[in-house]
Coordinates of all heavy atoms in Angstrom, one line a residue:
Chain O
L691 N 103.7 114.5 83.4 CA 105.0 114.9 84.0 C 105.8 115.6 82.9 O 105.6 115.4 81.7 CB 105.8 113.7 84.4 CG 105.2 112.8 85.5 CD1 106.1 111.6 85.8 CD2 105.0 113.6 86.8
P692 N 106.8 116.4 83.3 CA 107.7 117.0 82.3 C 108.5 115.9 81.7 O 108.7 114.8 82.3 CB 108.5 117.9 83.1 CG 108.4 117.5 84.5 CD 107.1 116.8 84.7
L693 N 109.0 116.1 80.5 CA 109.8 115.1 79.9 C 111.0 115.8 79.2 O 110.8 116.5 78.2 CB 108.9 114.3 78.9 CG 109.7 113.3 78.0 CD1 110.2 112.2 78.9 CD2 108.8 112.7 77.0
L694 N 112.1 115.5 79.7 CA 113.3 116.1 79.1 C 113.8 115.2 78.1 O 113.9 114.0 78.3 CB 114.4 116.3 80.2 CG 114.3 117.6 81.1 CD1 115.5 117.7 81.9 CD2 114.1 118.8 80.2
V695 N 114.2 115.8 77.0 CA 114.8 115.0 75.9 C 116.2 115.6 75.7 O 116.3 116.8 75.5 CB 113.9 115.1 74.6 CG1 114.7 114.4 73.5 CG2 112.6 114.5 74.9
S696 N 117.1 114.8 75.7 CA 118.5 115.3 75.6 C 119.0 115.1 74.1 O 118.6 114.1 73.4 CB 119.4 114.6 76.5 OG 119.6 113.2 76.1
H697 N 119.9 115.9 73.8 CA 120.5 115.8 72.5 C 121.9 116.3 72.6 O 122.1 117.4 73.1 CB 119.7 116.7 71.5 CG 120.3 116.8 70.2 ND1 120.4 115.8 69.3 CD2 121.0 117.9 69.6 CE1 121.1 116.2 68.2 NE2 121.4 117.4 68.4
I698 N 122.8 115.5 72.2 CA 124.2 115.9 72.3 C 124.6 116.6 71.0 O 124.4 116.0 69.9 CB 125.1 114.7 72.6 CG1 124.7 114.1 73.9 CG2 126.6 115.1 72.6 CD1 125.5 112.9 74.3
A699 N 125.1 117.8 71.1 CA 125.5 118.5 69.9 C 126.5 117.7 69.2 O 127.5 117.2 69.7 CB 126.0 119.9 70.3
G700 N 126.3 117.6 67.9 CA 127.3 116.9 67.1 C 127.0 115.4 67.0 O 127.8 114.6 66.7
G701 N 125.7 115.1 67.3 CA 125.3 113.7 67.2 C 125.4 112.9 68.5 O 126.2 113.2 69.4
D702 N 124.6 111.9 68.6 CA 124.5 111.1 69.8 C 125.5 110.0 69.8 O 125.5 109.2 70.7 CB 123.1 110.6 70.0 CG 122.1 111.7 70.4 OD1 122.6 112.7 70.9 OD2 120.9 111.5 70.1
G703 N 126.2 109.9 68.8 CA 127.2 108.8 68.7 C 128.3 109.1 69.8 O 128.3 110.1 70.5
S704 N 129.2 108.2 69.9 CA 130.2 108.4 70.9 C 131.2 109.4 70.5 O 131.5 109.6 69.3 CB 130.9 107.1 71.3 OG 131.3 106.5 70.1
V705 N 131.8 110.1 71.5 CA 132.8 111.1 71.2 C 134.1 110.4 71.2 O 134.5 109.7 72.1 CB 132.8 112.1 72.4 CG1 133.7 113.2 72.1 CG2 131.4 112.6 72.6
M706 N 134.8 110.6 70.1 CA 136.1 109.9 70.0 C 137.2 110.8 70.5 O 137.4 112.0 70.1 CB 136.4 109.7 68.5 CG 135.3 108.9 67.8 SD 135.6 107.2 67.9 CE 136.4 106.9 66.4
L707 N 137.8 110.4 71.5 CA 138.8 111.2 72.2 C 140.1 110.3 72.3 O 140.1 109.1 72.5 CB 138.4 111.5 73.6 CG 137.2 112.5 73.7 CD1 136.9 112.7 75.2 CD2 137.5 113.8 73.0
Y708 N 141.2 111.0 72.1 CA 142.5 110.4 72.4 C 142.7 110.4 73.8 O 142.2 111.3 74.6 CB 143.6 111.0 71.6 CG 143.5 110.8 70.1 CD1 143.1 111.8 69.3 CD2 143.8 109.6 69.6 CE1 143.0 111.6 67.9 CE2 143.7 109.4 68.2 CZ 143.3 110.4 67.4 OH 143.1 110.2 66.1
E709 N 143.5 109.5 74.3 CA 143.8 109.5 75.7 C 144.2 110.9 76.2 O 145.1 111.5 75.6 CB 145.0 108.5 76.0 CG 144.6 107.1 75.9 CD 145.8 106.2 76.0 OE1 146.7 106.3 75.1 OE2 145.9 105.4 76.9
G710 N 143.6 111.3 77.3 CA 144.0 112.6 77.9 C 143.5 113.8 77.2 O 143.7 114.9 77.6
E711 N 142.7 113.5 76.1 CA 142.2 114.7 75.4 C 141.1 115.4 76.2 O 140.3 114.7 76.9 CB 141.6 114.2 74.1 CG 141.1 115.4 73.2 CD 140.7 114.9 71.8 OE1 141.2 113.8 71.4 OE2 140.0 115.7 71.1
I712 N 141.0 116.6 76.1 CA 140.0 117.4 76.8 C 139.1 118.1 75.8 O 139.6 118.7 74.8 CB 140.7 118.5 77.7 CG1 141.5 117.8 78.8 CG2 139.6 119.4 78.3 CD1 142.4 118.7 79.5
R713 N 137.9 117.9 76.0 CA 136.9 118.5 75.0 C 135.6 118.9 75.7 O 135.2 118.3 76.6 CB 136.7 117.5 73.9 CG 136.0 118.2 72.7 CD 135.6 117.3 71.6 NE 136.7 116.8 70.9 CZ 136.6 115.9 69.9 NH1 135.4 115.4 69.6 NH2 137.6 115.4 69.3
D714 N 135.0 119.9 75.1 CA 133.7 120.3 75.6 C 132.7 119.6 74.8 O 132.8 119.5 73.6 CB 133.6 121.8 75.5 CG 134.4 122.5 76.5 OD1 134.9 121.9 77.4 OD2 134.6 123.8 76.4
V715 N 131.6 119.2 75.5 CA 130.5 118.6 74.8 C 129.3 119.4 75.2 O 129.1 119.8 76.3 CB 130.3 117.1 75.2 CG1 129.0 116.6 74.6 CG2 131.4 116.3 74.8
W716 N 128.5 119.7 74.2 CA 127.3 120.5 74.4 C 126.1 119.6 74.4 O 125.8 119.0 73.4 CB 127.2 121.6 73.4 CG 128.3 122.6 73.5 CD1 129.5 122.5 72.8 CD2 128.4 123.8 74.3 NE1 130.3 123.5 73.2 CE2 129.7 124.3 74.1 CE3 127.5 124.4 75.2 CZ2 130.1 125.5 74.8 CZ3 127.9 125.5 75.8 CH2 129.2 126.1 75.6
I717 N 125.3 119.7 75.5 CA 124.1 118.8 75.5 C 122.9 119.7 75.6 O 122.9 120.6 76.5 CB 124.2 117.9 76.8 CG1 125.3 117.0 76.6 CG2 122.9 117.1 76.9 CD1 125.6 116.1 77.9
S718 N 122.0 119.6 74.7 CA 120.8 120.4 74.8 C 119.7 119.6 75.4 O 119.5 118.4 75.0 CB 120.5 120.9 73.4 OG 120.0 119.9 72.6
L719 N 119.0 120.2 76.3 CA 117.9 119.5 77.0 C 116.6 120.3 76.6 O 116.5 121.5 76.8 CB 118.1 119.6 78.5 CG 119.3 118.9 79.0 CD1 119.5 119.2 80.5 CD2 119.2 117.4 78.8
A720 N 115.7 119.5 76.1 CA 114.4 120.1 75.7 C 113.3 119.5 76.5 O 113.3 118.3 76.8 CB 114.2 120.0 74.2
N721 N 112.4 120.3 76.9 CA 111.2 119.7 77.7 C 110.1 119.4 76.7 O 109.5 120.2 76.1 CB 110.7 120.8 78.7 CG 109.6 120.2 79.5 OD1 109.2 119.0 79.4 ND2 109.1 121.1 80.4
A722 N 110.0 118.1 76.5 CA 109.0 117.6 75.5 C 107.6 117.3 76.1 O 106.7 116.9 75.5 CB 109.5 116.3 74.8
G723 N 107.6 117.5 77.4 CA 106.3 117.2 78.1 C 105.4 118.4 78.1 O 105.5 119.3 77.3
T724 N 104.3 118.3 78.9 CA 103.3 119.4 78.9 C 103.4 120.1 80.2 O 102.5 121.0 80.5 CB 101.9 118.8 78.7 OG1 101.7 117.8 79.7 CG2 101.8 118.2 77.3
V725 N 104.4 119.8 81.0 CA 104.4 120.4 82.4 C 105.9 121.0 82.5 O 106.8 120.4 82.0 CB 104.2 119.3 83.5 CG1 104.4 119.9 84.8 CG2 102.8 118.8 83.3
P726 N 106.0 122.2 83.0 CA 107.3 122.7 83.1 C 108.2 122.0 84.1 O 107.7 121.4 85.1 CB 107.1 124.2 83.6 CG 105.7 124.1 84.3 CD 105.0 123.1 83.5
V727 N 109.5 122.0 83.9 CA 110.4 121.4 84.8 C 110.7 122.5 85.8 O 111.1 123.6 85.5 CB 111.7 121.0 84.1 CG1 112.7 120.4 85.0 CG2 111.4 120.0 83.0
E728 N 110.5 122.1 87.1 CA 110.8 123.1 88.1 C 112.0 122.8 88.9 O 112.6 123.7 89.6 CB 109.5 123.2 89.0 CG 108.3 123.7 88.2 CD 107.4 124.6 89.0 OE1 107.4 124.5 90.3 OE2 106.8 125.5 88.4
Q729 N 112.3 121.5 89.0 CA 113.5 121.2 89.7 C 114.4 120.3 88.8 O 113.9 119.5 88.1 CB 113.1 120.4 91.0 CG 112.3 121.1 91.9 CD 111.9 120.2 93.1 OE1 112.1 119.1 93.1 NE2 111.2 120.9 94.1
A730 N 115.7 120.5 89.0 CA 116.6 119.7 88.2 C 117.9 119.6 88.9 O 118.3 120.6 89.6 CB 116.8 120.2 86.8
H731 N 118.5 118.5 88.8 CA 119.7 118.3 89.5 C 120.6 117.3 88.6 O 120.1 116.3 88.2 CB 119.5 117.7 90.9 CG 120.8 117.4 91.6 ND1 121.4 116.2 91.5 CD2 121.6 118.2 92.3 CE1 122.5 116.3 92.2 NE2 122.7 117.5 92.7
I732 N 121.8 117.7 88.5 CA 122.7 116.9 87.7 C 123.7 116.1 88.5 O 124.3 116.7 89.5 CB 123.5 117.7 86.6 CG1 122.5 118.5 85.8 CG2 124.4 116.9 85.8 CD1 123.1 119.4 84.8
S733 N 123.8 114.9 88.3 CA 124.8 114.1 89.0 C 125.5 113.2 88.0 O 125.0 113.0 86.9 CB 124.2 113.4 90.2 OG 123.2 112.6 89.8
L734 N 126.5 112.5 88.5 CA 127.3 111.6 87.7 C 127.1 110.2 88.2 O 126.9 110.0 89.4 CB 128.7 112.0 87.7 CG 129.1 113.3 86.9 CD1 130.5 113.6 87.1 CD2 128.8 113.0 85.4
S735 N 127.2 109.3 87.3 CA 127.2 107.9 87.7 C 128.0 107.1 86.7 O 128.4 107.6 85.7 CB 125.7 107.5 87.8 OG 125.6 106.1 87.5
G736 N 128.1 105.9 87.0 CA 128.8 105.0 86.1 C 130.3 105.0 86.3 O 130.8 105.5 87.3
K737 N 131.0 104.5 85.3 CA 132.5 104.3 85.4 C 133.1 105.6 85.0 O 132.5 106.4 84.3 CB 132.9 103.2 84.6 CG 132.6 101.8 85.1 CD 133.1 100.8 84.2 CE 132.7 99.4 84.7 NZ 133.0 98.4 83.7

Side-chain angles (χ1 to χ4, degrees):
Chain O
L691 297 180
L693 176 65
L694 278 186
V695 175
S696 72
H697 170 73
I698 297 179
D702 287 338
S704 52
V705 185
M706 306 272 262
L707 295 178
Y708 292 105
E709 285 172 297
E711 184 172 342
I712 296 168
R713 193 184 289 178
D714 286 348
V715 173
W716 295 89
I717 296 173
S718 68
L719 299 169
N721 184 2
T724 54
V725 174
V727 178
E728 298 216 332
Q729 298 177 354
H731 178 267
I732 301 179
S733 57
L734 287 172
S735 151
K737 288 179 181 172

